[in-house]
Amino acid sequence: MAYQTRDVVEAMSAAAGHDLAGLRADGGGSANDLLLQLQADQLQAPVRRPAVQETTALGAAYLAGLAAGVWSTLDEVAHHWKLDAEFTPAVPASVADARHAGWRRAVERSRGWVA
């Protein structure tokens, strides 16, 4: 997941014309500290996990609250986001790049593999 996310982030950064400053991770995978550390290493950027990790339902609730007038702006809703953990790169970019290149070689070798 970390390597695939890196590929997506690199494509998005190229299209946007600027680098990623950081990533917020939520959902089931975000409970895995090792995954988030690998992600920070691959992106060479901080990865932040919120206190509430299942944000799909929370986002729907916030939208309903905005529609019902509980909150007036998205900025009010944003103030409810709380940090649980932050993962910063622990390996140099050269190490992350070598690991990513190895993963890409493995993916390429598996193409056309028939069971």
Side-chain angles (χ1 to χ4, degrees), residues 38-58:
L38 290 170
Q39 192 68 77
D41 293 344
Q42 283 302 306
L43 296 176
Q44 290 292 294
V47 175
R48 296 174 185 93
R49 176 176 59 211
V52 178
Q53 295 170 23
E54 294 301 333
T55 57
T56 301
L58 185 59

Side-chain angles (χ1 to χ4, degrees), residues 3 18 23 31 39 56 60 69 99 108:
Y3 296 119
H18 59 85
L23 181 73
Q39 192 68 77
T56 301
R99 291 175 180 169
E108 192 57 40

Side-chain angles (χ1 to χ4, degrees), residues 23-100:
L23 181 73
R24 289 186 177 180
D26 61 22
S30 70
N32 186 323
D33 289 356
L34 176 60
L35 174 61
L36 296 188
Q37 183 59 60
L38 290 170
Q39 192 68 77
D41 293 344
Q42 283 302 306
L43 296 176
Q44 290 292 294
V47 175
R48 296 174 185 93
R49 176 176 59 211
V52 178
Q53 295 170 23
E54 294 301 333
T55 57
T56 301
L58 185 59
Y62 284 147
L63 288 174
L66 281 166
V70 175
W71 299 286
S72 302
T73 67
L74 289 174
D75 287 335
E76 286 181 65
V77 172
H79 283 90
H80 291 276
W81 193 93
K82 303 291 182 219
L83 179 69
D84 173 55
E86 180 175 65
F87 301 83
T88 56
V91 300
S94 60
V95 172
D97 291 346
R99 291 175 180 169
H100 185 249

